[in-house]
Amino acid sequence: MTSDSRLVLPLIESSDLSDEDRKLVKAILWRDGATPVITTHEQYIRYRRIVAELSRKYDAAARNSLSFIRSPDGVLLTSLEARMLAWEEEGQANNS
């Protein structure tokens, strides 16, 4: 999420939306805000740590389910993995 979208989170939480609608709005914000491109090795390590935490939180079957992939955690996990892969393909993961 971008910093702008983080300003909106308290509004979403205090809104009169159902829990399911709140989850949908948050997932959309993750998609629209996108995960920042990795620019430093420290950022890559941080992303890797978050991916590991999410992977421990959900088993493999859950992570492969459509409902998880569409969830805020699923969107975050997918976007982090995509950014990490791009960084690795550029050869940056081991060079920084």
Side-chain angles (χ1 to χ4, degrees):
M1 257 188 243
T2 65
S3 58
D4 292 341
S5 60
R6 286 192 181 122
L7 297 173
V8 177
L9 286 178
L11 296 173
I12 294 168
E13 290 302 325
S14 65
S15 70
D16 198 20
L17 296 171
S18 69
D19 288 342
E20 194 62 34
D21 287 342
R22 279 192 194 107
K23 288 179 184 176
L24 175 63
V25 170
K26 287 178 184 179
I28 290 168
L29 285 174
W30 277 113
R31 285 182 190 103
D32 288 347
T35 303
V37 172
I38 298 174
T39 57
T40 66
H41 187 68
E42 291 75 22
Q43 186 179 9
Y44 173 83
I45 297 299
R46 217 172 24 249
Y47 282 17
R48 190 171 65 188
R49 187 180 64 242
I50 295 167
V51 165
E53 289 172 13
L54 287 170
S55 295
R56 280 191 300 274
K57 185 176 178 181
Y58 301 97
D59 65 25
R63 288 193 314 268
N64 290 325
S65 72
L66 188 57
S67 61
F68 175 76
I69 292 168
R70 290 182 173 175
S71 74
D73 281 354
V75 171
L76 174 60
L77 180 60
T78 303
S79 64
L80 290 172
E81 289 174 332
R83 292 298 190 195
M84 289 172 59
L85 181 60
W87 181 259
E88 291 164 1
E89 286 177 346
E90 291 174 6
Q92 298 296 322
N94 295 320
N95 295 335
S96 298

